[in-house]
């Protein structure tokens, strides 16, 4: 099994309307879809973790040289639509399966039940073998 991180950002995909302007039943349908999909993945043993993140207004950027106090700022940030909104960590048999799950996440319903077509990032989690290749012994 291989772990993949599926990333969800604030890009609304095919829908320009922010969620705070959706009808309550549209938000409920959206969340119910996520809950059902995540339950299915948890029941199959493929879901390792999933989390939604707070909005960018609460985010901080930390830089440090390791010797002095870290510098903490409220930015700069990338474009809002590129900010990470949440993720799912899955442990699956293949990249193809991770892509299948990402496609289902991408098609979560938005206003009037229209699939969002939200871009979902798919990235393989590195293993110890990957790090051995990157750091050969002397």
């Amino acid at each position: 099994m291989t772990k993949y991180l599926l990333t969800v950002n604030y890009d609304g995909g095919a829908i320009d309307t922010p969620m705070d302007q959706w009808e309550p039943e549209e938000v409920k349908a959206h969340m119910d879809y996520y809950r059902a999909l995540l339950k299915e993945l948890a029941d199959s043993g493929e879901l390792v973790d999933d989390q939604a993140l707070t909005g960018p207004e609460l985010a901080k950027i930390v830089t440090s040289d390791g010797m002095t106090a870290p510098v903490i700022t409220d930015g700069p940030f990338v474009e809002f639509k590129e900010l990470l909104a949440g993720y799912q960590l899955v442990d699956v048999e293949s990249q193809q399966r991770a892509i299948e799950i990402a496609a289902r996440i991408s098609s979560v319903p938005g206003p009037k039940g229209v699939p969002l077509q939200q871009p979902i990032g798919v990235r393989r989690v590195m293993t110890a073998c990957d790090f051995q290749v990157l750091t050969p012994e002397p």
Side-chain angles (χ1 to χ4, degrees):
M1 300 280 275
T2 305
K3 290 183 178 138
Y4 287 86
L5 183 67
L6 310 179
T7 57
V8 180
N9 60 27
Y10 285 98
D11 184 335
I15 306 298
D16 290 332
T17 308
M19 188 182 279
D20 63 0
Q21 295 176 20
W22 296 5
E23 296 297 325
E25 63 273 6
E26 294 169 336
V27 174
K28 181 178 182 326
H30 179 88
M31 299 310 294
D32 287 349
Y33 179 97
Y34 261 117
R35 275 190 279 281
L37 176 57
L38 295 173
K39 181 179 183 329
E40 177 186 324
L41 295 172
D43 290 348
S44 72
E46 293 174 304
L47 184 65
V48 176
D49 190 24
D50 77 285
Q51 298 294 326
L53 303 175
T54 60
E57 68 280 1
L58 299 176
K60 302 292 182 212
I61 301 291
V62 178
T63 55
S64 175
D65 63 7
M67 297 183 296
T68 59
V71 176
I72 304 165
T73 63
D74 292 332
F77 292 113
V78 296
E79 273 192 56
F80 180 77
K81 68 180 184 178
E82 296 171 350
L83 289 172
L84 189 63
Y87 68 88
Q88 292 78 38
L89 182 61
V90 295
D91 195 3
V92 293
E93 291 291 332
S94 66
Q95 182 183 47
Q96 181 57 39
R97 177 63 180 144
I99 290 170
E100 290 170 6
I101 295 168
R104 291 183 63 195
I105 294 167
S106 177
S107 65
V108 63
K112 298 181 178 30
V114 174
L116 288 184
Q117 301 176 49
Q118 189 173 27
I120 305 300
V122 178
R123 297 182 63 186
R124 185 176 61 83
V125 175
M126 292 177 71
T127 66
C129 293
D130 294 315
F131 287 105
Q132 288 173 351
V133 169
L134 294 174
T135 56
E137 293 184 27

